[in-house]
Amino acid sequence: LNGFIPPAPPLNYRVGTRRYMAPEILNETMRTDKFESFRRTDVYSFALVLWEICHRTYVDGSVLDYEQPYQGLVGSDPELEEMRQVVVVEQRRPTVPDFWRDHRFLSAVLDLVEEAWYDEAEARPSMVRVQHKLDRLLVEALAARRESRDSAQGVVAIIQETPVVTPKE
């Protein structure tokens, strides 16, 4: 008392949903003195959300069942040590279906997701880079959709102009 100010408690940055924690948080090697370190952990977590979105995307009329990242590798409410074992020690990432690599847009998103899953935080893209890539993909997807719609309308016009021949009875 008498003007004594107790030291601040240590910063606990291991908070949040453990399933989405970046490797450097799980193994306690994150540089807490650098704000950019926090940003890079967010990029890793955002990539897991992108994986979930891709996992629930309709492709060729079907969609995969809902699955959380690392489902089947850890329990439904994993402990920090359980996640550290899978993500840091075993260096595992969520499973990627083979057909994603053959799909024009899912493969592009997958490239970005895998880049954001790097073990080394400094090797991950910045969120600005992630945003720019997603913006470009959105523009490409909209152009492809417009192109597809235009060609579909062309087919409909050709069909409408083609006389229908009905068999005589």
Side-chain angles (χ1 to χ4, degrees):
L1 312 231
N2 257 358
F4 173 74
I5 300 173
L11 175 65
N12 178 13
Y13 57 90
R14 292 176 77 181
V15 295
T17 307
R18 292 179 289 269
R19 186 177 298 277
Y20 294 85
M21 287 183 177
E24 60 274 20
I25 292 177
L26 294 168
N27 68 7
E28 300 184 85
T29 59
M30 187 173 98
R31 297 278 316 264
T32 57
D33 59 327
K34 304 244 184 238
F35 186 69
E36 187 61 26
S37 298
F38 291 91
R39 289 181 177 176
R40 299 297 172 146
T41 64
D42 287 345
V43 168
Y44 176 90
S45 300
F46 182 69
L48 290 171
V49 173
L50 282 177
W51 175 88
E52 283 186 278
I53 292 169
C54 290
H55 205 267
R56 298 295 294 160
T57 299
Y58 279 92
V59 176
D60 298 328
S62 64
V63 65
L64 298 171
D65 291 334
Y66 175 74
E67 187 175 313
Q68 292 182 312
Y70 305 105
Q71 187 170 318
L73 299 174
V74 297
S76 60
D77 187 21
E79 296 296 324
L80 284 167
E81 184 52 38
E82 192 177 5
M83 288 306 304
R84 193 186 75 72
Q85 178 65 35
V86 170
V87 175
V88 177
V89 176
E90 298 173 18
Q91 297 184 332
R92 308 267 309 257
R93 298 298 181 266
T95 306
V96 174
D98 290 335
F99 73 88
W100 287 10
R101 297 196 190 285
D102 299 328
H103 189 274
R104 180 177 173 187
F105 296 105
L106 286 179
S107 66
V109 173
L110 179 59
D111 289 343
L112 180 61
V113 164
E114 289 178 333
E115 190 178 347
W117 282 346
Y118 286 150
D119 285 328
E120 295 299 321
E122 297 79 24
R124 294 182 204 135
S126 68
M127 190 56 83
V128 169
R129 185 160 172 252
V130 169
Q131 179 186 359
H132 286 303
K133 179 143 188 185
L134 290 175
D135 286 345
R136 278 195 314 273
L137 287 172
L138 178 61
V139 168
E140 287 177 28
L142 292 173
R145 184 175 179 194
R146 191 174 317 110
E147 208 173 276
S148 173
R149 187 179 58 233
D150 291 346
S151 63
Q153 288 173 346
V155 169
V156 169
I158 290 169
I159 291 170
Q160 288 173 343
E161 292 172 9
T162 305
V164 177
V165 179
T166 55
K168 294 183 180 181
E169 296 188 31

